[in-house]
Amino acid sequence: MDEPDTAAILPGDVLTATDEETHDSGDHKHEAEVASTGFVRPPFRVTCPVSVEPVLFLSMFSLALQAPLSTQYLWDRISEDLGYNGSKRSGCSNGSVPPDPLQTEVEILTAHWNLYISLVGFSVGLFVVPLLGSWSDLAGRRPVLILPNIGLALQAVVYLVVMYLKLPVGYFLVGRLLSGLSGDFNAILAGCFAYVADTSDRKSRTIRVAILEACLGLSGMLASIIGGQWRRAQGYINPFWLVLATNLASALYAYLFVRDSVVPDPSAKLLTSRHYKAVWHLFSTGGSTSDAGGTFHRCKLWLYMLCFFLVVTIHFGSRELYVLFELSSPLCWGSALIGYGSAAQNLAYLSSLLGLKIMQHCLEDSWVALVGLASNVIGLVVFSVADTTQLMFTGYGLCFLFMAATPVLRSKLSKLVGPSEQGALFASVACVESLCFLVGSGLFNSLYPATLHFMKGFPFLFAAIILFIPAGIIGTLQCLDQRRDNRDSTAS
């Protein structure tokens, strides 16, 4: 059963698990902690209902601006090094023309370097993000919002040096390593979602999480529009200066305006195995709140995490194929239509937020998630048979609620653990999200060419079928919860 709602906390307030006790008997201690730590009271106080949303928006903007530009830069540099000065052929080009072996080599090398860069970030982040997330439960959230942005800024500096000096592209790995050691974007995700969990009551948490996810979509759409046009006009260097400036602005905002949601413990150490043990304890026992539900509570934690893994893997995996599917026959889209399709996909973040807000008035969160999954399934089925532009955009339209499930799952996971475990939880969720990207990208990019001979859209149909698994788990757990609530109310 859910515990009683707590009062909503304003962004300027400090929330702890023992807030009342702190005010009643620990005012002097709290003031001493504030005085000895620069992370509780920022220099400026924000009274508007905005907390960490600008941090996530700016960080995501820099990431979405940087990712496609770095891939295109790799393509151009490798082409220059190999002496290839052609352009990539469209998927609708004459099939009788044999592929250029030099172009094939450029494509392979670019894909390999992208893989190496991703693996460096993932492997380092796998150890660093849980460490930072669990540490933030003791040391406060603001360090986890500031440090990774500084690391991302250092990565941008390394990329700029490589571009200015025309260094070998292998130096990109140095920038990725610096970013990974500071937690990378996943640590920012963990910190922002944990902050929202700290500063929201159980009733409003889902919509607050959905607002954060809408920030991801909006910033991604804005960055994709700006980045492509800017690169064509001025090349790569100037956009990367904006990447650097955006990361620094995000870190500066967190330092100046974000008031910490956890009273920091000055004795909290970062480099200790205690933080990894906290993550292990969370998933092996169900966390500090597991006593109320026992084994069932722990199973719910694992099952909701499995649902999150499957849903996000489908999101990442199918997204990898949209452009390739649209470029090739029979759609043969140009850059303008591809841009409209990307905009339609990102607008679904806003429509999902609006739909979630409306549906919460009449439905439990679990049923809202099922509606979102149904929207995603129907859209994917349409994509699987789309052979005209109209049908493809119909699929985008039917997916207008496809992002309603993930904020519900994040919220449900958050409600299963205690206030002192939110950082460890969302750090684990961020690591799972990175794993989703690797699994989804590898699976769908392998499945697409393997099924072209019998059904071009089969990967989308496969994705729709997989989504029935989390839908069944969410629906079953909701029915079990309702049955337990009815039994408890009857007994009382």
Side-chain angles (χ1 to χ4, degrees), residues 336-377:
L337 280 175
I338 289 174
Y340 294 145
S342 177
Q345 186 182 13
N346 283 293
L347 280 174
Y349 282 87
L350 279 181
S351 57
S352 296
L353 171 63
L354 180 61
L356 189 150
K357 181 66 175 176
I358 294 172
M359 288 188 290
Q360 275 190 322
H361 292 293
C362 55
L363 293 174
E364 295 284 345
D365 281 355
S366 293
W367 306 130
V368 173
L370 291 181
V371 173
L373 290 174
S375 170
N376 201 354
V377 167

mmCIF file of all heavy atoms in Angstrom, residues 336-377:
data_model
loop_
_atom_site.group_PDB
_atom_site.id
_atom_site.type_symbol
_atom_site.label_atom_id
_atom_site.label_comp_id
_atom_site.label_asym_id
_atom_site.label_seq_id
_atom_site.Cartn_x
_atom_site.Cartn_y
_atom_site.Cartn_z
ATOM 1 N N ALA A 336 13.948 17.253 -45.945
ATOM 2 C CA ALA A 336 12.834 18.052 -45.411
ATOM 3 C C ALA A 336 11.808 17.151 -44.727
ATOM 4 O O ALA A 336 11.391 17.409 -43.590
ATOM 5 C CB ALA A 336 12.183 18.852 -46.535
ATOM 6 N N LEU A 337 11.389 16.079 -45.417
ATOM 7 C CA LEU A 337 10.401 15.176 -44.829
ATOM 8 C C LEU A 337 10.962 14.472 -43.605
ATOM 9 O O LEU A 337 10.240 14.238 -42.630
ATOM 10 C CB LEU A 337 9.944 14.146 -45.870
ATOM 11 C CG LEU A 337 8.895 14.618 -46.882
ATOM 12 C CD1 LEU A 337 8.627 13.544 -47.921
ATOM 13 C CD2 LEU A 337 7.597 14.991 -46.165
ATOM 14 N N ILE A 338 12.238 14.109 -43.643
ATOM 15 C CA ILE A 338 12.857 13.462 -42.476
ATOM 16 C C ILE A 338 12.838 14.413 -41.286
ATOM 17 O O ILE A 338 12.578 14.008 -40.139
ATOM 18 C CB ILE A 338 14.292 13.021 -42.811
ATOM 19 C CG1 ILE A 338 14.263 11.838 -43.787
ATOM 20 C CG2 ILE A 338 15.053 12.625 -41.549
ATOM 21 C CD1 ILE A 338 15.622 11.417 -44.287
ATOM 22 N N GLY A 339 13.085 15.690 -41.547
ATOM 23 C CA GLY A 339 13.020 16.685 -40.480
ATOM 24 C C GLY A 339 11.627 16.807 -39.897
ATOM 25 O O GLY A 339 11.455 16.893 -38.679
ATOM 26 N N TYR A 340 10.600 16.796 -40.773
ATOM 27 C CA TYR A 340 9.223 16.855 -40.278
ATOM 28 C C TYR A 340 8.888 15.618 -39.447
ATOM 29 O O TYR A 340 8.191 15.704 -38.427
ATOM 30 C CB TYR A 340 8.252 16.967 -41.458
ATOM 31 C CG TYR A 340 8.366 18.257 -42.238
ATOM 32 C CD1 TYR A 340 8.182 18.283 -43.616
ATOM 33 C CD2 TYR A 340 8.663 19.457 -41.595
ATOM 34 C CE1 TYR A 340 8.290 19.463 -44.348
ATOM 35 C CE2 TYR A 340 8.772 20.640 -42.311
ATOM 36 C CZ TYR A 340 8.589 20.636 -43.682
ATOM 37 O OH TYR A 340 8.707 21.795 -44.389
ATOM 38 N N GLY A 341 9.369 14.456 -39.893
ATOM 39 C CA GLY A 341 9.118 13.236 -39.140
ATOM 40 C C GLY A 341 9.771 13.274 -37.774
ATOM 41 O O GLY A 341 9.167 12.875 -36.767
ATOM 42 N N SER A 342 11.008 13.786 -37.708
ATOM 43 C CA SER A 342 11.692 13.915 -36.428
ATOM 44 C C SER A 342 10.966 14.894 -35.514
ATOM 45 O O SER A 342 10.839 14.661 -34.299
ATOM 46 C CB SER A 342 13.133 14.381 -36.661
ATOM 47 O OG SER A 342 13.803 14.589 -35.444
ATOM 48 N N ALA A 343 10.473 15.995 -36.088
ATOM 49 C CA ALA A 343 9.716 16.964 -35.290
ATOM 50 C C ALA A 343 8.439 16.339 -34.749
ATOM 51 O O ALA A 343 8.075 16.550 -33.586
ATOM 52 C CB ALA A 343 9.392 18.188 -36.133
ATOM 53 N N ALA A 344 7.746 15.548 -35.584
ATOM 54 C CA ALA A 344 6.522 14.893 -35.138
ATOM 55 C C ALA A 344 6.805 13.921 -33.996
ATOM 56 O O ALA A 344 6.031 13.823 -33.036
ATOM 57 C CB ALA A 344 5.870 14.146 -36.305
ATOM 58 N N GLN A 345 7.922 13.216 -34.089
ATOM 59 C CA GLN A 345 8.290 12.269 -33.042
ATOM 60 C C GLN A 345 8.594 12.995 -31.736
ATOM 61 O O GLN A 345 8.167 12.555 -30.659
ATOM 62 C CB GLN A 345 9.503 11.458 -33.486
ATOM 63 C CG GLN A 345 9.881 10.349 -32.521
ATOM 64 C CD GLN A 345 11.121 9.603 -32.978
ATOM 65 O OE1 GLN A 345 11.826 10.055 -33.861
ATOM 66 N NE2 GLN A 345 11.379 8.476 -32.356
ATOM 67 N N ASN A 346 9.311 14.114 -31.816
ATOM 68 C CA ASN A 346 9.647 14.858 -30.600
ATOM 69 C C ASN A 346 8.447 15.581 -30.014
ATOM 70 O O ASN A 346 8.370 15.771 -28.796
ATOM 71 C CB ASN A 346 10.773 15.852 -30.884
ATOM 72 C CG ASN A 346 12.130 15.192 -30.975
ATOM 73 O OD1 ASN A 346 12.655 14.685 -29.990
ATOM 74 N ND2 ASN A 346 12.703 15.166 -32.163
ATOM 75 N N LEU A 347 7.503 15.982 -30.870
ATOM 76 C CA LEU A 347 6.294 16.624 -30.358
ATOM 77 C C LEU A 347 5.468 15.669 -29.511
ATOM 78 O O LEU A 347 4.659 16.099 -28.675
ATOM 79 C CB LEU A 347 5.447 17.157 -31.520
ATOM 80 C CG LEU A 347 5.901 18.487 -32.127
ATOM 81 C CD1 LEU A 347 5.060 18.823 -33.348
ATOM 82 C CD2 LEU A 347 5.817 19.612 -31.105
ATOM 83 N N ALA A 348 5.683 14.357 -29.699
ATOM 84 C CA ALA A 348 4.960 13.370 -28.898
ATOM 85 C C ALA A 348 5.313 13.482 -27.422
ATOM 86 O O ALA A 348 4.531 13.042 -26.558
ATOM 87 C CB ALA A 348 5.246 11.959 -29.412
ATOM 88 N N TYR A 349 6.480 14.053 -27.099
ATOM 89 C CA TYR A 349 6.812 14.282 -25.692
ATOM 90 C C TYR A 349 5.806 15.247 -25.068
ATOM 91 O O TYR A 349 5.359 15.051 -23.938
ATOM 92 C CB TYR A 349 8.223 14.861 -25.570
ATOM 93 C CG TYR A 349 9.336 13.863 -25.718
ATOM 94 C CD1 TYR A 349 9.839 13.536 -26.972
ATOM 95 C CD2 TYR A 349 9.897 13.249 -24.610
ATOM 96 C CE1 TYR A 349 10.879 12.628 -27.117
ATOM 97 C CE2 TYR A 349 10.932 12.336 -24.740
ATOM 98 C CZ TYR A 349 11.412 12.035 -25.993
ATOM 99 O OH TYR A 349 12.443 11.123 -26.131
ATOM 100 N N LEU A 350 5.457 16.308 -25.818
ATOM 101 C CA LEU A 350 4.485 17.273 -25.300
ATOM 102 C C LEU A 350 3.082 16.694 -25.245
ATOM 103 O O LEU A 350 2.361 16.859 -24.259
ATOM 104 C CB LEU A 350 4.496 18.532 -26.172
ATOM 105 C CG LEU A 350 5.592 19.552 -25.927
ATOM 106 C CD1 LEU A 350 5.416 20.735 -26.856
ATOM 107 C CD2 LEU A 350 5.578 20.016 -24.477
ATOM 108 N N SER A 351 2.662 16.006 -26.319
ATOM 109 C CA SER A 351 1.318 15.431 -26.330
ATOM 110 C C SER A 351 1.181 14.342 -25.266
ATOM 111 O O SER A 351 0.118 14.188 -24.661
ATOM 112 C CB SER A 351 0.982 14.876 -27.723
ATOM 113 O OG SER A 351 1.933 13.903 -28.128
ATOM 114 N N SER A 352 2.270 13.600 -25.001
ATOM 115 C CA SER A 352 2.227 12.591 -23.942
ATOM 116 C C SER A 352 2.077 13.244 -22.573
ATOM 117 O O SER A 352 1.332 12.762 -21.716
ATOM 118 C CB SER A 352 3.494 11.740 -23.964
ATOM 119 O OG SER A 352 3.605 11.003 -25.155
ATOM 120 N N LEU A 353 2.787 14.364 -22.363
ATOM 121 C CA LEU A 353 2.665 15.091 -21.101
ATOM 122 C C LEU A 353 1.243 15.602 -20.905
ATOM 123 O O LEU A 353 0.648 15.453 -19.819
ATOM 124 C CB LEU A 353 3.657 16.254 -21.080
ATOM 125 C CG LEU A 353 3.534 17.254 -19.929
ATOM 126 C CD1 LEU A 353 3.794 16.564 -18.597
ATOM 127 C CD2 LEU A 353 4.510 18.417 -20.124
ATOM 128 N N LEU A 354 0.681 16.191 -21.956
ATOM 129 C CA LEU A 354 -0.687 16.707 -21.864
ATOM 130 C C LEU A 354 -1.685 15.573 -21.641
ATOM 131 O O LEU A 354 -2.589 15.671 -20.790
ATOM 132 C CB LEU A 354 -1.031 17.470 -23.148
ATOM 133 C CG LEU A 354 -2.431 18.084 -23.224
ATOM 134 C CD1 LEU A 354 -2.639 19.096 -22.110
ATOM 135 C CD2 LEU A 354 -2.658 18.745 -24.588
ATOM 136 N N GLY A 355 -1.525 14.480 -22.395
ATOM 137 C CA GLY A 355 -2.428 13.343 -22.231
ATOM 138 C C GLY A 355 -2.332 12.731 -20.852
ATOM 139 O O GLY A 355 -3.343 12.349 -20.253
ATOM 140 N N LEU A 356 -1.113 12.626 -20.318
ATOM 141 C CA LEU A 356 -0.944 12.066 -18.985
ATOM 142 C C LEU A 356 -1.640 12.938 -17.939
ATOM 143 O O LEU A 356 -2.312 12.415 -17.035
ATOM 144 C CB LEU A 356 0.552 11.950 -18.683
ATOM 145 C CG LEU A 356 0.969 11.198 -17.415
ATOM 146 C CD1 LEU A 356 2.344 10.547 -17.609
ATOM 147 C CD2 LEU A 356 1.041 12.130 -16.205
ATOM 148 N N LYS A 357 -1.483 14.258 -18.066
ATOM 149 C CA LYS A 357 -2.104 15.176 -17.118
ATOM 150 C C LYS A 357 -3.625 15.038 -17.145
ATOM 151 O O LYS A 357 -4.284 15.033 -16.094
ATOM 152 C CB LYS A 357 -1.690 16.609 -17.462
ATOM 153 C CG LYS A 357 -2.256 17.670 -16.532
ATOM 154 C CD LYS A 357 -1.702 17.539 -15.135
ATOM 155 C CE LYS A 357 -2.182 18.674 -14.236
ATOM 156 N NZ LYS A 357 -1.719 18.507 -12.842
ATOM 157 N N ILE A 358 -4.195 14.897 -18.339
ATOM 158 C CA ILE A 358 -5.657 14.773 -18.471
ATOM 159 C C ILE A 358 -6.130 13.429 -17.937
ATOM 160 O O ILE A 358 -7.113 13.338 -17.172
ATOM 161 C CB ILE A 358 -6.079 14.956 -19.941
ATOM 162 C CG1 ILE A 358 -5.790 16.398 -20.396
ATOM 163 C CG2 ILE A 358 -7.557 14.618 -20.129
ATOM 164 C CD1 ILE A 358 -5.989 16.623 -21.875
ATOM 165 N N MET A 359 -5.441 12.349 -18.324
ATOM 166 C CA MET A 359 -5.891 11.010 -17.928
ATOM 167 C C MET A 359 -5.753 10.764 -16.436
ATOM 168 O O MET A 359 -6.482 9.930 -15.870
ATOM 169 C CB MET A 359 -5.109 9.954 -18.714
ATOM 170 C CG MET A 359 -5.494 9.859 -20.180
ATOM 171 S SD MET A 359 -4.714 8.452 -21.029
ATOM 172 C CE MET A 359 -3.004 9.008 -21.081
ATOM 173 N N GLN A 360 -4.840 11.474 -15.764
ATOM 174 C CA GLN A 360 -4.673 11.274 -14.333
ATOM 175 C C GLN A 360 -5.917 11.668 -13.539
ATOM 176 O O GLN A 360 -6.081 11.221 -12.403
ATOM 177 C CB GLN A 360 -3.469 12.069 -13.825
ATOM 178 C CG GLN A 360 -2.143 11.349 -13.981
ATOM 179 C CD GLN A 360 -1.019 12.060 -13.237
ATOM 180 O OE1 GLN A 360 -0.958 13.289 -13.211
ATOM 181 N NE2 GLN A 360 -0.133 11.292 -12.642
ATOM 182 N N HIS A 361 -6.788 12.476 -14.127
ATOM 183 C CA HIS A 361 -8.011 12.884 -13.432
ATOM 184 C C HIS A 361 -9.008 11.744 -13.319
ATOM 185 O O HIS A 361 -9.902 11.787 -12.459
ATOM 186 C CB HIS A 361 -8.652 14.079 -14.144
ATOM 187 C CG HIS A 361 -7.864 15.348 -14.048
ATOM 188 N ND1 HIS A 361 -7.669 16.026 -12.862
ATOM 189 C CD2 HIS A 361 -7.189 16.058 -14.981
ATOM 190 C CE1 HIS A 361 -6.932 17.104 -13.069
ATOM 191 N NE2 HIS A 361 -6.628 17.145 -14.353
ATOM 192 N N CYS A 362 -8.887 10.747 -14.188
ATOM 193 C CA CYS A 362 -9.886 9.670 -14.173
ATOM 194 C C CYS A 362 -9.290 8.270 -14.143
ATOM 195 O O CYS A 362 -10.041 7.295 -14.014
ATOM 196 C CB CYS A 362 -10.816 9.802 -15.390
ATOM 197 S SG CYS A 362 -9.958 9.844 -16.980
ATOM 198 N N LEU A 363 -7.965 8.143 -14.246
ATOM 199 C CA LEU A 363 -7.340 6.829 -14.292
ATOM 200 C C LEU A 363 -6.160 6.757 -13.331
ATOM 201 O O LEU A 363 -5.493 7.766 -13.074
ATOM 202 C CB LEU A 363 -6.833 6.522 -15.714
ATOM 203 C CG LEU A 363 -7.853 6.331 -16.833
ATOM 204 C CD1 LEU A 363 -7.131 6.180 -18.167
ATOM 205 C CD2 LEU A 363 -8.745 5.123 -16.569
ATOM 206 N N GLU A 364 -5.924 5.550 -12.797
ATOM 207 C CA GLU A 364 -4.704 5.304 -12.041
ATOM 208 C C GLU A 364 -3.498 5.368 -12.977
ATOM 209 O O GLU A 364 -3.608 5.150 -14.184
ATOM 210 C CB GLU A 364 -4.766 3.924 -11.379
ATOM 211 C CG GLU A 364 -5.837 3.782 -10.316
ATOM 212 C CD GLU A 364 -5.448 4.477 -9.020
ATOM 213 O OE1 GLU A 364 -4.250 4.810 -8.864
ATOM 214 O OE2 GLU A 364 -6.336 4.693 -8.166
ATOM 215 N N ASP A 365 -2.322 5.632 -12.399
ATOM 216 C CA ASP A 365 -1.113 5.770 -13.212
ATOM 217 C C ASP A 365 -0.836 4.526 -14.060
ATOM 218 O O ASP A 365 -0.379 4.629 -15.203
ATOM 219 C CB ASP A 365 0.096 6.040 -12.307
ATOM 220 C CG ASP A 365 0.171 7.488 -11.864
ATOM 221 O OD1 ASP A 365 -0.663 8.289 -12.330
ATOM 222 O OD2 ASP A 365 1.058 7.831 -11.057
ATOM 223 N N SER A 366 -1.101 3.345 -13.513
ATOM 224 C CA SER A 366 -0.836 2.108 -14.265
ATOM 225 C C SER A 366 -1.673 2.037 -15.528
ATOM 226 O O SER A 366 -1.190 1.619 -16.587
ATOM 227 C CB SER A 366 -1.114 0.880 -13.389
ATOM 228 O OG SER A 366 -0.193 0.799 -12.332
ATOM 229 N N TRP A 367 -2.932 2.447 -15.436
ATOM 230 C CA TRP A 367 -3.799 2.415 -16.626
ATOM 231 C C TRP A 367 -3.365 3.480 -17.627
ATOM 232 O O TRP A 367 -3.479 3.275 -18.843
ATOM 233 C CB TRP A 367 -5.259 2.601 -16.229
ATOM 234 C CG TRP A 367 -5.740 1.632 -15.190
ATOM 235 C CD1 TRP A 367 -6.398 1.932 -14.036
ATOM 236 C CD2 TRP A 367 -5.593 0.199 -15.198
ATOM 237 N NE1 TRP A 367 -6.670 0.797 -13.323
ATOM 238 C CE2 TRP A 367 -6.193 -0.296 -14.015
ATOM 239 C CE3 TRP A 367 -5.018 -0.708 -16.087
ATOM 240 C CZ2 TRP A 367 -6.229 -1.646 -13.697
ATOM 241 C CZ3 TRP A 367 -5.048 -2.068 -15.768
ATOM 242 C CH2 TRP A 367 -5.645 -2.526 -14.607
ATOM 243 N N VAL A 368 -2.846 4.606 -17.135
ATOM 244 C CA VAL A 368 -2.297 5.625 -18.031
ATOM 245 C C VAL A 368 -1.110 5.050 -18.811
ATOM 246 O O VAL A 368 -0.969 5.259 -20.026
ATOM 247 C CB VAL A 368 -1.861 6.874 -17.234
ATOM 248 C CG1 VAL A 368 -1.133 7.866 -18.143
ATOM 249 C CG2 VAL A 368 -3.063 7.549 -16.594
ATOM 250 N N ALA A 369 -0.256 4.307 -18.101
ATOM 251 C CA ALA A 369 0.889 3.675 -18.772
ATOM 252 C C ALA A 369 0.423 2.697 -19.839
ATOM 253 O O ALA A 369 1.013 2.622 -20.930
ATOM 254 C CB ALA A 369 1.767 2.960 -17.748
ATOM 255 N N LEU A 370 -0.639 1.947 -19.561
ATOM 256 C CA LEU A 370 -1.155 0.988 -20.547
ATOM 257 C C LEU A 370 -1.711 1.700 -21.777
ATOM 258 O O LEU A 370 -1.559 1.217 -22.904
ATOM 259 C CB LEU A 370 -2.230 0.106 -19.910
ATOM 260 C CG LEU A 370 -1.739 -0.886 -18.854
ATOM 261 C CD1 LEU A 370 -2.890 -1.715 -18.305
ATOM 262 C CD2 LEU A 370 -0.666 -1.807 -19.432
ATOM 263 N N VAL A 371 -2.358 2.839 -21.571
ATOM 264 C CA VAL A 371 -2.834 3.615 -22.722
ATOM 265 C C VAL A 371 -1.648 4.090 -23.557
ATOM 266 O O VAL A 371 -1.674 4.043 -24.797
ATOM 267 C CB VAL A 371 -3.688 4.814 -22.246
ATOM 268 C CG1 VAL A 371 -4.040 5.723 -23.419
ATOM 269 C CG2 VAL A 371 -4.967 4.328 -21.576
ATOM 270 N N GLY A 372 -0.582 4.545 -22.886
ATOM 271 C CA GLY A 372 0.612 4.974 -23.611
ATOM 272 C C GLY A 372 1.246 3.834 -24.393
ATOM 273 O O GLY A 372 1.672 4.014 -25.542
ATOM 274 N N LEU A 373 1.311 2.648 -23.795
ATOM 275 C CA LEU A 373 1.854 1.485 -24.498
ATOM 276 C C LEU A 373 0.972 1.096 -25.681
ATOM 277 O O LEU A 373 1.480 0.707 -26.745
ATOM 278 C CB LEU A 373 2.003 0.309 -23.535
ATOM 279 C CG LEU A 373 3.101 0.446 -22.474
ATOM 280 C CD1 LEU A 373 3.049 -0.724 -21.497
ATOM 281 C CD2 LEU A 373 4.473 0.515 -23.129
ATOM 282 N N ALA A 374 -0.347 1.201 -25.507
ATOM 283 C CA ALA A 374 -1.257 0.893 -26.618
ATOM 284 C C ALA A 374 -1.041 1.855 -27.782
ATOM 285 O O ALA A 374 -1.039 1.450 -28.956
ATOM 286 C CB ALA A 374 -2.705 0.961 -26.131
ATOM 287 N N SER A 375 -0.836 3.139 -27.463
ATOM 288 C CA SER A 375 -0.549 4.124 -28.506
ATOM 289 C C SER A 375 0.727 3.769 -29.244
ATOM 290 O O SER A 375 0.794 3.841 -30.481
ATOM 291 C CB SER A 375 -0.430 5.518 -27.870
ATOM 292 O OG SER A 375 0.063 6.465 -28.785
ATOM 293 N N ASN A 376 1.734 3.338 -28.494
ATOM 294 C CA ASN A 376 3.013 2.963 -29.102
ATOM 295 C C ASN A 376 2.861 1.728 -29.979
ATOM 296 O O ASN A 376 3.387 1.666 -31.095
ATOM 297 C CB ASN A 376 4.038 2.693 -27.996
ATOM 298 C CG ASN A 376 5.466 2.804 -28.495
ATOM 299 O OD1 ASN A 376 5.723 2.975 -29.680
ATOM 300 N ND2 ASN A 376 6.410 2.704 -27.590
ATOM 301 N N VAL A 377 2.139 0.731 -29.498
ATOM 302 C CA VAL A 377 1.948 -0.518 -30.252
ATOM 303 C C VAL A 377 1.235 -0.251 -31.570
ATOM 304 O O VAL A 377 1.652 -0.715 -32.644
ATOM 305 C CB VAL A 377 1.161 -1.532 -29.407
ATOM 306 C CG1 VAL A 377 0.675 -2.701 -30.276
ATOM 307 C CG2 VAL A 377 2.019 -2.073 -28.269
#
